[in-house]
Amino acid sequence: MAQPATAEAADADLIHRSLRNPEAFATVFDRHAPALHRYAARRLGQDSAEDVVSETFLTAFEHRHRYRLGQSDARPWLYGIASNVIGKRRRREMARYRAYVRGGVDPVEITGGPVEDEVGTLAVNGPLVAALAGLRTGDRDVLLLVAWAELTYEEVAEALNVPIGTVRSRLNRARKKVRQALEGAGHG
């Protein structure tokens, strides 16, 4: 049976192939790096996004032998690694939120895309940013992986290595706190 073309191959096939032929991993990078970069830029700013993506893919490449080949899509795995990398830089993220709340202007300019929904960009309003800053780390990670990375509950559970029930409870708690903050600020 012939192997699928690289562009059509599932991530799992490419990762497995990269164990023998490391260059095959480049397709996984090409496929997912732009979305991971956008996610990291939203969390930490453009300056840090490239470093987060680089560290994420370096870690993924070094640990590709541990990838569960039954998972055809590598996005949850990669976002999980990225979340860990961002976690190491959490102080920068929190400082960014506080700077926005104090000054009313997002200290990071994200160019190249329209303003999306209320959770789509930090430049929307201070109450939203304050609500995000006030969330527990796990709650914020779940909310942003669903809202910004557009992962399913199952993919978030896989990314963060937590049960799906934990994802549901964290997301429910985060949404409730954000909703309360927005209602309290007259945005509800």
Side-chain angles (χ1 to χ4, degrees):
M1 181 172 181
Q3 293 219 359
T6 301
E8 299 169 4
D11 293 337
D13 295 333
L14 293 168
I15 293 168
H16 180 68
R17 205 178 303 162
S18 77
L19 295 172
R20 293 181 313 282
N21 179 12
E23 293 80 21
F25 199 81
T27 302
V28 176
F29 177 88
D30 292 342
R31 204 176 268 177
H32 299 293
L36 281 165
H37 188 277
R38 284 189 301 276
Y39 179 73
R42 286 174 149 176
R43 297 283 306 260
L44 299 174
Q46 290 288 352
D47 292 343
S48 297
E50 194 168 314
D51 292 340
V52 168
V53 171
S54 295
E55 192 173 336
T56 296
F57 277 96
L58 178 62
T59 300
F61 184 79
E62 289 173 348
H63 297 282
R64 68 192 189 282
H65 63 280
R66 295 184 189 161
Y67 184 77
R68 288 185 281 153
L69 296 175
Q71 302 295 322
S72 63
D73 184 0
R75 286 180 334 126
W77 180 60
L78 293 169
Y79 277 103
I81 295 169
S83 292
N84 288 336
V85 172
I86 289 169
K88 293 176 188 174
R89 299 163 185 257
R90 186 94 46 217
R91 283 191 300 245
R92 187 174 302 151
E93 180 181 32
M94 295 309 295
R96 183 168 167 239
Y97 289 154
R98 285 190 296 276
Y100 178 80
V101 170
R102 276 192 314 273
V105 177
D106 187 357
V108 176
E109 181 178 310
I110 301 174
T111 60
V115 173
E116 300 161 353
D117 58 71
E118 281 188 289
V119 183
T121 179
L122 290 180
V124 173
N125 59 44
L128 174 61
V129 175
L132 290 173
L135 294 175
R136 293 180 191 161
T137 300
D139 295 354
R140 184 174 45 253
D141 285 344
V142 167
L143 178 66
L144 297 180
L145 284 169
V146 169
W148 289 350
E150 299 178 359
L151 296 184
T152 65
Y153 292 7
E154 292 82 8
E155 290 171 330
V156 173
E158 183 182 338
L160 300 178
N161 197 28
V162 297
I164 195 163
T166 300
V167 169
R168 291 180 202 280
S169 63
R170 286 180 181 177
L171 186 59
N172 183 50
R173 189 170 40 246
R175 284 177 172 162
K176 186 177 185 178
K177 287 185 178 185
V178 168
R179 189 178 311 112
Q180 288 171 345
L182 295 177
E183 287 171 356
H187 293 283

